[in-house]
Amino acid sequence: KDDACCPPLLFSSQRRRVHGMLKLYYGLNEEGKAAEESESLDPCDINGPHFDPELYLNKLRRECSLAELMDQETCMVKQIRSLDSDMQTLVYENYNKFISATDTIRKMKNDFKKMEDEMDCLSANMAAITEFSASISGTLQDQHTQITKLSGVHTLLRKLQFLFELPARLNKCLELQAYAQAVSSHRRARCVLQQYSHLPSFKGIQDDCHAIMDKLAQELRQKFRDGGSSAKDLSECVELLLQLDEPAEELCDKFLSHARSRLESDLQGLEAEIRPYPSAAKDASARRSPSLADNSPKFNTLPSPTSNTDILEFIDRGCNEFVSSLCLVITSYQELFINHAQTGELVSKNIPQMANCKLHAFVDNLAARYFSLVERRIQEEKSVGDNSLLVRALDRFHRRLQAVAKLLPGSAVPNKGTEIVIRAATERVKQYLSALQSFYMDSLTDVRQALATPRLSVAGASVAGGGAHLGGPGPGRDAPNSLPELLSSLSASILNQIKSVLASVHLFTAKDITFSNKPYFKGEFCSQGVRESLVVSFIKFVCQSSRHFCESAGDKGGSTPPALLLLLSRLCLDYETSTISYILTLTDEQFLDQHHSPVTPVTTLCAEAKEAAQKLLNHYVKVQGLIISQMLRKSVETRDWVNTIEPRNVRAVMKRVVEDTTSIDVQVGLLYEEGVRKAHSSDSSKRTFSVYSSSRQQARYAASYTPSAPMDTNLLSNIHKLFSERIDIFSSVEFNKVSVMTGIIKISLKTFLECVRLRTFGRYGLQQIQVDCHYLQMYLWRFVSDENLVHFLLDEIVGSSAHRCLDPAPMEQSVIEVICERG
């Protein structure tokens, strides 16, 4: 209640005044600036400077009641007590400060009193000194001019003494080999001697000095030519000769000539490192090969016999000796002739530009020889086993050449060194490509040898590649060299080699290699070098080399085993479906973080691989078809079909055809899926063949066998063909077993048909053809996609035999079935 009676403005103002009493005392506001607030002129404002207690009390008596006056008194008593308490607290808190300020003021009073006494003493002393100085100046005023003259004469005599003693001084410096001191002394006196050379005494001194300095210059030239001095002594010689007005161009040539002799000795030492051993070089040509080791993911690590040290030691020696010496020569040369401050007449001769041109020509000439040696040594690195030494050597080579770039801006040396690094990396990629190609061809050779061995098993019946039926092991026994195992082993070994090569090449792009992150190296090397020139080129090589196997000529398809064609077709198909995408994805993840150059798309390579697989499979069908066709052709051509005996069994060649076809079916089934067949009829193996392509009965044909009857039969046969589906014998096959077997059987039966058309048959010859065709029909229908195709071709064969039969008397169907079942 009491607080409510107190004016809030009064209470808050009192609190602020208590906490800011010192600021109010000094007239400062909260920001430390002088208060600029307008003062209140109200005499009743208890916080204002014009406060009048009487007026304020009269106002309260007039306006307030007794109770309000009592409350106001109580509030003011509380505020007074609070202010007294705050003031006491403020005094206690600042008591030490008040004591310290009091002591400081007292001490200052004492110090200022003492200082006033000292200042009075100093003032008296200064007055005495001033009076004494004036007295001395008055006394010596007459002798000042004479002293000045004597001092000038003394200085002149000392100069003359230096000139007269100069020849002896120069001789002494010459004896002590203090050439720098001699040149400095002569330069100090040269202008004076030249100015007074018309005087005989000075002329004699000048002549003596010239003779001595000529001798000194001769010794400096001799020391410069000897070349046995250190770089520091050599720099001192050149600097002194320049001070003696020697021609700068001649000094540049001499300096570079001296440096050339040293650097050439370093180059000769490097050249000796790459000279081949007389005997080792001869043996190396017969032993060394850049190919990969056969059937092994490891590379051929045969060391190079033509070098005394490895590539890293060679580059280290070149950098530590030649490149370091070259950098030292460049630094010394620039300090002497280019960066050296020119004075006097030397400024107008433009020595730095002339010296810089000579330096660039000098560096370029020696660097070219050094780069030639480095490239020769890099070319000796034919082994593609351990790539780390070469990469580290190239990194060190590139790193040290950057020092030349910093010392000699605008020089072509760093760029040429970078070109060597890029060429070395590119050549390394070519070596790896050649090694991969050699490994692939060696692997194919191993596959061919494995296919040629009689141990090759194809689930109990195998074809070693020439079409001959080999008696394989029983069903419960499987040789380790089956086609799926060979395909898996070949594919895995190639993929492992590619991964191993990529790991070796990836060393060129490691983060700790200086040139790996350079835009002129990484982008082009990764996209065009690794991806295109190595991976893509190898994939294309696999496809192209596989297609070359389809170019073999001859009835039996040349020397390429058919099983190899089948295996390669499946390999190329696997590449098209998954392997190419995997290899390129792996390559892009390792090398192509950010690339902008165009690269071969995956679809293009997959299309090429599929084309190769299709061509190989078509060629496989053709080769296998020709092998069976050859047997059928010989069996037809070597038999006398007119005078043959009555058939009692199936000919052995037909059994051989069925056996080989079965073997081929099993062989293809190991690598390709079954495929889609058309629905078979229930009596496919019991189908009978008419000896005519028409539907005419045999009895009718026999009763009307007249010269015009065959013409009618041929006409009906041709009409029947018009409504039959056309059979494309050499059409492309699909990537499944049924399609492959259909193509082989089409070629075989078409050959059989054409051979029959060229022969003339007797009665028993026609019957033998009936038996053979029925036997073939019993087994071949199950291999093809459409059994009607086999039926049609066998109908054509029997019909064609009947048309060329002299006595067409077909065998009873029941007899044919008995003979075939017995066979």
Side-chain angles (χ1 to χ4, degrees), residues 697-718:
Q697 298 295 327
Q698 302 173 15
R700 181 180 178 185
Y701 176 80
S704 62
Y705 184 64
T706 61
S708 62
M711 182 65 67
D712 296 336
T713 305
N714 289 335
L715 178 60
L716 292 174
S717 176
N718 291 332

Side-chain angles (χ1 to χ4, degrees), residues 419-671:
E419 292 175 1
I420 291 177
V421 172
I422 296 175
R423 283 198 298 269
T426 305
E427 185 63 27
R428 199 62 164 177
V429 170
K430 292 180 180 178
Q431 292 175 2
Y432 278 116
L433 175 61
S434 177
L436 281 174
Q437 293 173 349
S438 299
F439 174 80
Y440 175 71
M441 299 308 296
D442 292 343
S443 299
L444 292 187
T445 302
D446 293 339
V447 171
R448 295 184 69 156
Q449 292 176 355
L451 292 173
T453 57
R455 295 180 303 164
L456 179 62
S457 171
V458 186
S462 64
V463 175
H469 177 66
L470 299 177
R477 188 178 158 202
D478 193 13
N481 291 332
S482 63
L483 278 179
E485 290 177 354
L486 287 175
L487 176 63
S488 176
S489 176
L490 177 63
S491 180
S493 62
I494 294 174
L495 189 59
N496 288 336
Q497 289 295 346
I498 293 176
K499 291 181 179 178
S500 180
V501 166
L502 290 178
S504 297
V505 176
H506 195 260
L507 294 175
F508 283 101
T509 60
K511 293 183 179 180
D512 57 340
I513 303 301
T514 54
F515 58 80
S516 64
N517 294 322
K518 301 297 182 182
Y520 53 76
F521 178 83
K522 186 170 185 179
E524 191 71 17
F525 175 75
C526 292
S527 62
Q528 300 301 318
V530 178
R531 192 185 192 276
E532 296 298 311
S533 299
L534 179 61
V535 178
V536 173
S537 296
F538 177 68
I539 294 174
K540 291 183 177 179
F541 171 80
V542 171
C543 298
Q544 292 171 1
S545 61
S546 300
R547 287 197 297 267
H548 289 332
F549 288 107
C550 302
E551 299 174 359
S552 303
D555 293 338
K556 293 188 178 181
S559 60
T560 304
L564 181 61
L565 296 174
L566 183 67
L567 186 144
L568 289 178
S569 69
R570 185 66 209 190
L571 178 68
C572 292
L573 185 63
D574 290 342
Y575 268 54
E576 186 265 338
T577 55
S578 61
T579 307
I580 291 178
S581 299
Y582 173 74
I583 292 174
L584 290 182
T585 301
L586 182 65
T587 303
D588 293 345
E589 288 177 353
Q590 294 185 16
F591 294 92
L592 298 187
D593 295 334
Q594 296 178 352
H595 65 283
H596 306 285
S597 57
V599 294
T600 305
V602 178
T603 54
T604 303
L605 294 176
C606 290
E608 186 172 352
K610 187 174 184 180
E611 180 186 356
Q614 185 69 65
K615 191 171 183 180
L616 284 164
L617 195 58
N618 291 341
H619 191 63
Y620 173 78
V621 170
K622 180 180 177 182
V623 170
Q624 292 287 38
L626 290 179
I627 291 173
I628 298 177
S629 299
Q630 183 72 3
M631 291 190 295
L632 293 172
R633 183 177 66 83
K634 289 182 179 180
S635 69
V636 174
E637 292 178 351
T638 58
R639 191 179 183 91
D640 185 2
W641 294 99
V642 177
N643 301 317
T644 186
I645 62 175
E646 184 178 359
R648 290 291 180 265
N649 51 30
V650 180
R651 287 190 299 154
V653 67
M654 296 303 163
K655 298 179 181 180
R656 177 68 177 276
V657 168
V658 173
E659 290 173 355
D660 285 2
T661 304
T662 305
S663 299
I664 295 173
D665 179 75
V666 174
Q667 185 184 70
V668 176
L670 292 174
L671 299 180

Side-chain angles (χ1 to χ4, degrees), residues 91-131:
V91 171
Y92 286 159
E93 289 177 353
N94 296 277
Y95 179 75
N96 293 332
K97 296 179 182 179
F98 292 152
I99 298 300
S100 177
T102 304
D103 294 341
T104 302
I105 293 172
R106 186 182 298 109
K107 185 177 180 181
M108 288 176 62
K109 289 182 178 180
N110 296 332
D111 292 340
F112 277 118
K113 184 176 181 180
K114 182 179 180 181
M115 187 180 297
E116 288 177 0
D117 296 338
E118 292 178 353
M119 290 299 294
D120 293 340
C121 180
L122 179 62
S123 176
N125 292 336
M126 290 298 295
I129 292 172
T130 302
E131 183 181 357

Side-chain angles (χ1 to χ4, degrees), residues 386-406:
D386 185 9
N387 204 35
S388 59
L389 280 180
L390 177 62
V391 174
R392 288 167 56 196
L394 292 176
D395 174 58
R396 201 157 300 177
F397 173 75
H398 180 270
R399 192 192 304 269
R400 293 301 294 271
L401 287 182
Q402 301 311 307
V404 180
K406 294 179 180 178

Side-chain angles (χ1 to χ4, degrees), residues 690-743:
S690 171
V691 295
Y692 315 110
S693 298
S694 64
S695 60
R696 304 178 64 183
Q697 298 295 327
Q698 302 173 15
R700 181 180 178 185
Y701 176 80
S704 62
Y705 184 64
T706 61
S708 62
M711 182 65 67
D712 296 336
T713 305
N714 289 335
L715 178 60
L716 292 174
S717 176
N718 291 332
I719 293 173
H720 178 69
K721 290 179 182 179
L722 289 176
F723 294 96
S724 300
E725 185 178 355
R726 181 179 179 274
I727 300 175
D728 190 359
I729 303 299
F730 293 100
S731 61
S732 293
V733 297
E734 299 176 1
F735 295 105
N736 58 71
K737 183 179 73 171
V738 173
S739 181
V740 172
M741 296 307 300
T742 301

